[in-house]
């Protein structure tokens, strides 16, 4: 059940709902629009929706603790808004300021309502300040989680884009690798290659490592795992791009590639693939 001060607070703020919104917009709408990340109508709607949810929840809540179940509607709104702002390109500070900026118009209304009771004004305003601080910090937490999720998804998309599997010939696939080959990328490489083998029914795949700067034990193991997975799907692999430095490194590391065909260039590997298919390429004769 609401405390007397909480009931009085809900009554005061509820009576001045329109005035609160007007003052809040007047003070902070220009700040929210400064970077042009959202249209004015969208931002006005956010201000109005948050204030309405906050004031509608206030009479039903029996605590000023923002984490309690009574405040779930407010938290849900802020979570959705924070995630949306993360996608729009706002900063955590800009998102939290949306909540903190409500303090100024709220204090103005409370100062008028509790003008004859300074002690009550101090008590109520302090509790409201803590409540809004909690909501502001909550937006920062949700914003960061949303931003981390966006970054993780973008990294996955970049990995997929950086490991294209192309069909060189009927039954021959090519997987050009550029950059470092770590465990996460190996998983994407393997999934992309295996899926392409299933889609095309290819029996040969050329893995070109010309663009891989260094090959260590871990990279070699990743390559062997990919070759083994492809073989389980019925496709043999040829590794191309074995430069002299890489060849020496593989020998020093003691990595066994005796069961894997290797070539120095993609062109050489393609010729081997065509030979295994029984295909040949002939140059056209020059015109007489």
């Amino acid at each position: 059940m609401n405390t007397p001060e909480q009931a009085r607070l809900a009554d005061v703020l509820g009576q001045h709902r329109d005035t609160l919104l007007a003052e809040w917009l007047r003070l902070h709408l220009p700040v929210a629009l400064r970077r042009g990340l959202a249209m004015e109508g969208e931002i006005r709607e956010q201000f109005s929706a948050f204030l309405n949810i906050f004031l509608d929840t206030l009479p039903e809540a029996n605590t000023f603790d923002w984490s309690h179940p009574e405040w779930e509607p407010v938290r849900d709104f802020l979570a959705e808004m924070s995630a949306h702002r993360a996608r729009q390109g706002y900063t955590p500070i800009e998102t939290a300021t949306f909540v903190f900026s409500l303090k100024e118009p709220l204090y103005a209304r409370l100062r008028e309502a509790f003008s004859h009771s300074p002690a009550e004004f101090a008590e109520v305003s302090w509790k409201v300040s803590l409540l809004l601080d909690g909501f502001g910090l909550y937006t920062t937490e949700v914003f960061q989680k949303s931003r981390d999720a966006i970054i993780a998804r973008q990294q996955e998309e970049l990995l997929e884009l950086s490991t294209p599997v192309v069909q060189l010939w009927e039954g021959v696939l090519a997987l050009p690798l550029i950059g470092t080959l770590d465990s996460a990328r190996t998983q994407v490489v393997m999934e992309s290659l295996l899926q392409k083998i299933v889609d095309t029914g290819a029996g040969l795949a050329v893995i070109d490592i010309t663009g891989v700067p260094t090959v260590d034990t871990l990279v070699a193991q990743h390559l062997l795992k990919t070759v083994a997975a492809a073989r389980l799907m019925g496709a043999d692999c040829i590794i191309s791009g074995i430069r002299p430095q890489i060849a020496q490194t593989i020998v020093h590391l003691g990595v066994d590639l005796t069961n894997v065909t290797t070539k120095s260039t993609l062109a050489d590997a393609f010729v081997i693939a065509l030979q295994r298919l029984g295909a040949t390429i002939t140059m056209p004769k020059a015109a007489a």
Side-chain angles (χ1 to χ4, degrees):
M1 186 171 180
N2 289 3
T3 62
E5 62 183 12
Q6 197 163 346
R8 175 80 186 283
L9 174 64
D11 182 58
V12 168
L13 297 182
Q15 291 179 12
H16 296 89
R17 186 183 299 244
D18 294 339
T19 304
L20 273 173
L21 179 60
E23 290 182 1
W24 193 19
L25 288 170
R26 178 180 60 81
L27 291 169
H28 297 285
L29 182 61
V31 177
L33 291 172
R34 187 167 51 203
R35 291 213 293 141
L37 296 176
M39 301 296 291
E40 180 176 342
E42 178 185 354
I43 295 180
R44 284 182 175 273
E45 178 60 28
Q46 287 179 349
F47 276 72
S48 177
F50 175 71
L51 185 62
N52 285 334
I53 292 174
F54 178 77
L55 294 182
D56 290 344
T57 306
L58 183 60
E60 306 298 325
N62 57 12
T63 176
F64 283 101
D65 186 343
W66 65 274
S67 63
H68 275 228
E70 297 97 311
W71 292 103
E72 186 174 356
V74 180
R75 293 196 303 272
D76 289 344
F77 174 86
L78 291 175
E80 183 178 348
M81 186 202 72
S82 299
H84 181 62
R85 288 199 166 199
R87 293 190 296 270
Q88 287 180 308
Y90 284 91
T91 67
I93 292 177
E94 289 170 334
T95 304
T97 299
F98 171 83
V99 177
F100 296 147
S101 64
L102 181 57
K103 288 184 178 183
E104 188 172 355
L106 275 179
Y107 287 167
R109 300 277 68 81
L110 294 177
R111 192 164 45 245
E112 292 178 359
F114 295 92
S115 58
H116 300 296
S117 179
E120 190 175 4
F121 165 69
E123 179 70 16
V124 172
S125 61
W126 172 248
K127 290 183 177 180
V128 171
S129 179
L130 292 178
L131 177 62
L132 292 177
D133 285 346
F135 285 135
L137 294 175
Y138 176 70
T139 64
T140 303
E141 179 183 356
V142 175
F143 182 98
Q144 191 59 50
K145 289 180 179 179
S146 300
R147 178 61 62 85
D148 290 344
I150 292 172
I151 292 173
R153 186 171 64 252
Q154 290 174 339
Q155 288 175 336
E156 291 176 2
E157 292 171 353
L158 285 174
L159 282 175
E160 292 174 0
L161 290 173
S162 65
T163 55
V165 181
V166 296
Q167 187 164 358
L168 292 180
W169 198 268
E170 185 68 30
V172 181
L173 301 176
L175 176 61
L177 298 177
I178 299 175
T180 303
L181 193 63
D182 56 18
S183 298
R185 192 176 180 203
T186 299
Q187 185 64 30
V188 175
V189 166
M190 198 179 298
E191 291 176 359
S192 300
L193 180 59
L194 297 183
Q195 186 59 51
K196 196 70 172 181
I197 291 172
V198 171
D199 295 340
T200 64
L204 287 168
V206 179
I207 302 175
D208 184 66
I209 62 171
T210 303
V212 177
T214 58
V215 173
D216 55 18
T217 305
L218 191 59
V219 171
Q221 289 175 351
H222 290 328
L223 289 173
L224 291 176
K225 287 179 181 179
T226 303
V227 171
R231 283 177 175 169
L232 289 175
M233 297 298 295
D236 199 11
C237 290
I238 302 171
I239 298 178
S240 65
I242 303 294
R243 304 184 297 279
Q245 300 90 334
I246 290 180
Q248 293 178 30
T249 301
I250 289 175
V251 170
H252 288 315
L253 293 174
V255 178
D256 185 11
L257 292 179
T258 54
N259 294 324
V260 182
T261 302
T262 60
K263 287 294 176 181
S264 60
T265 67
L266 177 59
D268 292 339
F270 185 43
V271 170
I272 295 296
L274 291 177
Q275 290 175 352
R276 291 188 182 181
L277 293 175
T280 58
I281 298 177
T282 58
M283 298 296 292
K285 294 181 179 180

